[in-house]
Amino acid sequence: MLEDLRPQPSDKIIEMIGLYKEDTREGKMDLGVGVYKNDAGVTPIMRSVKEAEKRLVKNQDSKSYVALAGQVDFVKFMREMSLADSVSADRIAGIQTPGGTGAIRQLYELIRMANPNAKIWVSDPSWPNHVAILKYLGMPHREYAYFDRKTCSVNFEAMLHDLDTVSADDVVILHGCCHNPTGANLTPEQWEIVADHLNARGALAMVDIAYQGFGDGLEADAAGLRILASKMPELLVAQSCSKNFGVYRDRVGAAFAISLNEEQAKIAQVNLNTLNRLNYSFPPDHGAAVLMELARDEKLVADWKDELEAMRLEMLEKRKALCAALRRETNSDRFDFIENHRGMFSLTGISSEAVLKLRDEYAIYMVHDSRLNIAGLQLSRVDHLAKAIASVI
């Protein structure tokens, strides 16, 4: 039977990771993989997380299963961090998941259980796995306009034009903040318009929020999501802890379904629990348990917030420095948009040929669509990167 398996298309990012590891040149730069690195080029364990983990290892007395939905306190912690009081808690069903990707997969499955014919709308461009998982599941999907590649900003007029064609019971995937891969975000006013637009058409929104705290701050980054939650009768949310807690490999996330009322929320909860049981039974516990250890200590929470804010400000500093260097090296304002983008990424708009030249001639690795990971850039290497980009465009 296994001889009938066929090769699968390669994942460009995973392929790039392999090429980078095999590259023996000194001074190589990884600006593709979506992880934060400090100026020493290291993805550190946050102080607060490390201390919480020490306490957990010392005090934990069992490795028995958690509940199907995961730790209740963890799910509550995640809900309060992202949704705050924007919607009544009794309307929200939630589960712990293996990272944000696990949350996305479970919510796709929930959509399919509710309506196998639901059409999923994904922004152009979007995180590649949004569409890849939909294709694997055989779920119908379409793209809506989002990014203007000439101005490197949100093309809101085109976005609304496409969303005009969304039908009742369609699902529109939105990035909560720090849009991946573009770095271009909606304004609060635009979030209000999108909510009204979808409500008028009876469509459902699904928000992927993986970078809360990396853009304009922990609270500001949740503003769009909270606007939707306060205005829409139903909403799906996929939440990740990989970036803002730095627990990438521990796979910590949560999925939420907001329903019209408490009775429907209870039914949604049963279905989410069932999906956990069918896909992996009980969610992995260690990473979530560490974060709960952190959440129970006000000093650790304060320290985590300080660390997160320092990371955010460092990324803004990198954006400003790179923007100035590119202006100097190209003698133009072509890349000024980088300073205005938010989060880990910016879609630079350079050609795929230029991306390959950066890799081949300078050992600088970026995703083929020109996505640049600002969080992976060291301030000491900004001038080198700017000179390299100027030489290949």
Side-chain angles (χ1 to χ4, degrees):
M1 180 178 67
L2 297 183
E3 67 270 14
D4 292 329
L5 290 174
R6 295 291 178 263
Q8 296 295 310
S10 62
D11 183 300
K12 298 297 183 182
I13 296 178
I14 302 300
E15 187 178 78
M16 185 191 62
I17 292 173
L19 291 171
Y20 178 81
K21 286 183 176 179
E22 293 172 3
D23 195 328
T24 59
R25 288 175 288 180
E26 291 186 9
K28 62 182 181 179
M29 298 173 66
D30 177 7
L31 302 178
V33 180
V35 297
Y36 167 84
K37 294 180 182 178
N38 60 23
D39 211 43
V42 175
T43 302
I45 301 175
M46 298 175 83
R47 290 186 309 268
S48 51
V49 172
K50 192 69 173 177
E51 176 58 32
E53 190 164 40
K54 288 179 182 177
R55 296 182 188 181
L56 178 69
V57 170
K58 180 179 179 180
N59 299 322
Q60 191 176 55
D61 57 9
S62 176
K63 291 289 187 181
S64 183
Y65 295 120
V66 294
L68 281 178
Q71 291 196 49
V72 174
D73 288 346
F74 170 77
V75 175
K76 179 183 177 183
F77 173 62
M78 295 295 289
R79 184 191 76 217
E80 292 177 344
M81 185 172 74
S82 59
L83 291 163
D85 58 357
S86 60
V87 61
S88 175
D90 62 14
R91 288 176 53 202
I92 307 173
I95 54 171
Q96 181 180 324
T97 61
T101 306
I104 290 165
R105 175 61 183 264
Q106 296 298 67
L107 292 177
Y108 282 173
E109 297 271 16
L110 187 70
I111 293 167
R112 192 164 62 168
M113 289 176 75
N115 181 1
N117 299 314
K119 187 186 302 173
I120 317 298
W121 292 74
V122 184
S123 66
D124 176 24
S126 191
W127 181 50
N129 241 8
H130 281 157
V131 172
I133 299 173
L134 288 171
K135 287 181 177 179
Y136 177 76
L137 292 174
M139 298 177 70
H141 55 278
R142 288 187 60 183
E143 287 186 332
Y144 64 86
Y146 183 84
F147 192 64
D148 186 330
R149 285 170 169 78
K150 291 183 179 179
T151 64
C152 291
S153 60
V154 177
N155 189 340
F156 194 59
E157 183 177 348
M159 179 181 178
L160 289 184
H161 178 270
D162 284 354
L163 294 184
D164 276 338
T165 62
V166 171
S167 303
D169 294 329
D170 283 359
V171 181
V172 178
I173 298 180
L174 299 160
H175 297 232
C177 62
C178 307
H179 187 278
N180 180 3
T182 72
N185 287 337
L186 298 175
T187 66
E189 294 75 20
Q190 290 171 334
W191 279 107
E192 296 271 0
I193 294 169
V194 168
D196 292 340
H197 221 68
L198 297 182
N199 276 339
R201 285 152 185 79
L204 176 67
M206 174 175 158
V207 179
D208 181 359
I209 184 162
Y211 307 97
Q212 187 181 350
F214 268 30
D216 292 311
L218 200 60
E219 296 302 307
D221 287 347
L225 169 60
R226 293 172 185 175
I227 287 169
L228 293 182
S230 68
K231 300 190 73 165
M232 301 191 73
E234 296 180 331
L235 182 69
L236 302 177
V237 182
Q239 191 175 3
S240 171
C241 297
S242 294
K243 276 70 177 180
N244 52 12
F245 287 95
V247 288
Y248 301 89
R249 67 174 64 170
D250 288 340
R251 312 310 299 138
V252 187
F256 297 99
I258 298 174
S259 298
L260 187 62
N261 53 48
E262 182 178 2
E263 182 180 354
Q264 291 182 10
K266 289 179 179 178
I267 296 173
Q269 185 67 61
V270 170
N271 280 272
L272 285 171
N273 292 356
T274 298
L275 284 171
N276 267 11
R277 178 61 170 162
L278 294 175
N279 282 325
Y280 43 75
S281 283
F282 303 93
D285 177 65
H286 182 78
V290 169
L291 298 194
M292 284 317 304
E293 194 74 35
L294 185 156
R296 295 186 187 104
D297 188 312
E298 291 183 4
K299 290 183 179 180
L300 285 184
V301 171
D303 191 31
W304 165 66
K305 289 182 177 179
D306 286 346
E307 288 183 274
L308 180 60
E309 180 67 0
M311 291 162 66
R312 183 184 77 85
L313 293 176
E314 183 186 85
M315 282 185 276
L316 291 180
E317 184 181 1
K318 291 176 181 179
R319 286 188 176 280
K320 186 178 294 186
L322 180 59
C323 184
L326 285 166
R327 192 182 300 123
R328 184 174 62 250
E329 295 298 332
T330 64
N331 195 30
S332 74
D333 60 2
R334 172 176 172 177
F335 295 101
D336 280 8
F337 62 85
I338 289 175
E339 188 172 346
N340 297 320
H341 284 177
R342 287 296 181 268
M344 296 180 73
F345 307 116
S346 274
L347 206 61
T348 61
I350 66 175
S351 68
S352 56
E353 290 78 14
V355 170
L356 284 175
K357 283 186 178 180
L358 285 173
R359 186 189 73 189
D360 295 341
E361 298 177 15
Y362 294 93
I364 295 173
Y365 287 75
M366 291 167 52
V367 181
H368 67 98
D369 63 359
S370 82
R371 187 189 81 173
L372 169 69
N373 178 19
I374 291 291
L377 175 62
Q378 296 165 265
L379 281 168
S380 58
R381 309 290 308 278
V382 164
D383 288 344
H384 174 67
L385 175 61
K387 290 178 187 294
I389 290 176
S391 74
V392 299
I393 58 175

